[in-house]
Amino acid sequence: MSKVITSFFFLYLFTLTLYGQEWGKTLFNDQWKFHLGDQPEAKSVSFNDEKWRELALPHDWSIEGAFSKEHPSTNQGGALPGGIAWYRKTFHLADTVGGKQVYIDFDGIYRDSEVWINGHYLGKRPSGYTSFRYDLTPYVKFGKQANVIAVRVDNGRQPNSRWYSGSGIYRNVWLITKNKIAIDHWGVFVKSPYVQKERAFIQQQTTFKNLGPKAVSADVVITVFDKENKVIVKKNFPQQLSLGKSEASLEVQVPQPVLWSPENPYCYQIETQVYVGKQLMDQYKVPLGIRHFAFDAKQGFSLNGQRKRILGVCMHHDLGALGAAVNKKAMERQLMLLKEMGANAIRISHNPPAPEFLDLCDSLGFLVMNEAFDMWRKKKNKFDYSLDFDEWHRQDLIDLIKRDRNHPSVIMWSIGNEIREQFDSTGTALTKELVAIVRIEDSTRPITAALTETHLEKNFIAQANALDILGFNYKYEQYDSLPINFHGQKFIASETTSALATRGHYDLGHDTLRFWPPSAKEKFVKNGNPDFTVSAYDQVAAYWGTSHEQAWKAVKERDFMTGLFVWTGFDYLGEPVPYDFPARSSYYGIIDLAGFPKDVYYMYQSEWTNKPVLHLLPHWNWQAGQTIDVWAYFNQADEVELFLNGQSFGIRRKQGDDIHVSWKVPFQPGTLKAVSRKNGKEVLIKEIKTASKPARIQLTVDKNKLHTGINDLAFVTATIVDNDGNPVPLADDEMVFDIQGPGFVAGVDNGFQADLSSLKGNRKRAYNGKCLAIIQAESRTGEIVLKASAKGLEGAELKLAVMKMMNE
């Protein structure tokens, strides 16, 4: 057996435990060759790819490029390059695989991908977000004979996206080997139609595939495991499997079920095994989160019989300095920051997500609106999915529903975002068609769409009377008219706010909300800040939006609004309203692109959690004679008192629906201190000190142990501090990150939306005192030593251990 084959079967044993729910499914990410540019002859087996770059997937070539206003994606698409590229992989299959079915699964390729195996054309998928499978069986070779798979990716027709898409095979790839008798692709659908305290009735719809010479009698064994992997239920179902595909509806009961919720995201596992005689032919595991929920036109949303407000954010798919390339650890970091803020829901905007993202939502406890399309037939960009909609929307929608319908986190399907057909009669028929497709594949979840037209007579999607919930984007001032205009309907604020901010930057002397740009007549703001910043006081929004406080209060005060999704949880590459280039990433996020919370993060934390919060802003490095607006977000207290160098500037209490309190304070260097109290007793103290000149670098890291084999990451925050350890809020020194040992710098960032330096080097200027280095573990074990340096500053270093996973 060759080295390639040996490593292949080692990988199989590892990934089945770590990632796989499907028997015979192995990660297929290593030892790919890559070439940027079009080489049509690369589909041939005999093509020489020796000079091509070798890399591991997932891979996004756009993020490796330079920011430029010349790129046809424009700054709306992140001002990064697209183009055409090829990937090739040579691999062997053991003789023992002969006689089995061999498939390849792509979780996502952006975009217009075409695939060949050993010179045979397998097909094309235009969508950059759809997961799909090809059957390799008729074309693969076994033993010493090599196989070559070639993938052409065309992201050259630009612009095709309203945000940064990335380019390439940016999600995971899997190789699957199956027996002739097996469970079909995405062939298990688990439902819990009746949930009681004593028991839950579990119904499993299973599709089998029999490619053998004849029909067979089989035993289908369903086993339910609890969170500790103990068997709760095991039941055998004799089945007759005819040639081709067949279906069976099988039922088991789970006694005294633990219900899944954001507070307790308890997941069982349900395993399906297919035996013919004593031979195990296939097995398939899916998560089983038992829960029941309802939407009510007056009382909103309830989960497991308890009323719950959906407190959500919208999320695009990029991972900041990593680009679009999927990394589970980076997604986990994003979700944990949002969880800590108090969010319990995610609207995936506006495309099918990576499968791992939903795995995390299941395990961390997020409610998900899973969205299929950003457009139908009517385009939003010259080369977008509207060109492919007629031919591909049915298949892409079916694939989304089948792939994701077992995730307990998914509570609703969205068939579109701000679809332009809502304004003409074609929207009615298309809505009915798309809803019918969803209902065939999953009748257990409500269907929605994110709409903008709040008058029924003008809204042809709502006129279809096919949606279970009407989502409305923005227009909070019209919420009270919704129950009148759409009588008896259920509502969710599917997109809100569009407030803008740059972390750590504050414009003084503004007490009212400013709209940048002020109207649709201006594409960009004309009188913005010359340095392309936006104030982090919650006082600037795009003309269609409003402040975070106002958007939240509008939902908070109305029971019939089931919840909201704030635009957006994180800044993302592309769509840098309100500015033209050199701005290249968004200002909308509650958290910046590097993962550093902006001040408004603590507004939500004070409103959406029960943990004590006291957050004071802004920094305290100003000029003599300036009067500073000082804000405090707080909860779990009646009042906050502010002190400057020991002198009280008064006590503030929230009045009416206030969400923050404030003072006007003449600047003096020293210590600004806020004290929150409840019933006269101190709850929290927050201090901000005037920093002196930058003196040294301070490093903190989210974890000090990394593991091989899973693209594990450590997120290192570099903060510039003075001699007393106070953060220097305006420091912009360039930092260099040098690394020794089994790791590398996977990305650097500072969160500033108009920074045009590379996100993929090992150096980055601090922005407002901070920057981020992302460290990725290699395949070998050992110790990583990271050193951070900057001219004129005392450097810092930290050490990270790289270890094998327990099941390697």
Side-chain angles (χ1 to χ4, degrees), residues 294-302 307-312 344 367 369 411-412 469-471 489-494 552 555 558-565:
F295 288 84
D296 182 84
K298 293 182 179 180
Q299 296 301 314
F301 177 71
S302 63
R307 189 178 171 207
K308 178 178 291 295
R309 185 77 77 173
I310 294 173
L311 306 174
N344 63 18
L367 306 165
M369 178 193 290
I411 62 164
M412 64 182 106
I469 303 166
L470 299 182
Q489 293 284 1
K490 308 173 184 81
F491 304 104
I492 189 162
S494 44
W552 163 233
V555 173
R558 290 164 174 84
D559 288 344
F560 65 84
M561 297 300 291
T562 57
L564 80 167
F565 292 96

Side-chain angles (χ1 to χ4, degrees), residues 491-512:
F491 304 104
I492 189 162
S494 44
E495 190 171 314
T496 72
T497 312
S498 278
L500 310 170
T502 298
R503 174 189 54 82
H505 174 82
Y506 306 93
D507 293 344
L508 301 179
H510 296 279
D511 293 324
T512 58

Side-chain angles (χ1 to χ4, degrees), residues 221-292:
V221 179
I222 292 182
T223 308
V224 178
F225 299 89
D226 68 10
K227 202 170 186 178
E228 286 71 44
N229 209 34
K230 295 178 182 177
V231 175
I232 301 299
V233 179
K234 189 170 186 177
K235 191 173 180 180
N236 180 62
F237 299 87
Q239 295 290 315
Q240 189 71 15
L241 304 184
S242 58
L243 288 175
K245 291 186 180 182
S246 58
E247 292 188 356
S249 183
L250 312 173
E251 294 185 2
V252 295
Q253 295 183 26
V254 175
Q256 298 177 321
V258 180
L259 301 186
W260 183 96
S261 70
E263 296 76 25
N264 182 30
Y266 190 98
C267 274
Y268 298 87
Q269 294 283 323
I270 186 163
E271 179 184 73
T272 306
Q273 296 175 306
V274 181
Y275 288 89
V276 175
K278 293 185 178 181
Q279 184 179 358
L280 177 62
M281 306 302 293
D282 199 8
Q283 67 182 28
Y284 202 103
K285 251 186 185 179
V286 297
L288 172 60
I290 301 173
R291 79 284 188 271
H292 58 94

Side-chain angles (χ1 to χ4, degrees), residues 11-27 174 269 271 283-287 328 356 359 807:
L11 187 60
Y12 162 72
L13 292 172
F14 170 60
T15 57
L16 180 64
T17 303
L18 184 65
Y19 297 95
Q21 302 296 316
E22 187 173 359
W23 207 32
K25 183 175 182 177
T26 71
L27 263 179
W174 307 86
Q269 294 283 323
E271 179 184 73
Q283 67 182 28
Y284 202 103
K285 251 186 185 179
V286 297
K328 193 171 183 179
E356 294 83 359
D359 291 340
N807 51 357

Side-chain angles (χ1 to χ4, degrees), residues 199-217:
R199 66 184 62 84
F201 294 82
I202 308 303
Q203 185 181 76
Q204 179 174 304
Q205 179 182 319
T206 312
T207 304
F208 305 96
K209 182 185 284 188
N210 180 359
L211 300 177
K214 61 181 180 179
V216 298
S217 297

Side-chain angles (χ1 to χ4, degrees), residues 742 780-784 800-803:
R780 56 197 172 100
T781 60
E783 184 179 69
I784 293 172
L800 305 169
V802 180
M803 305 178 295

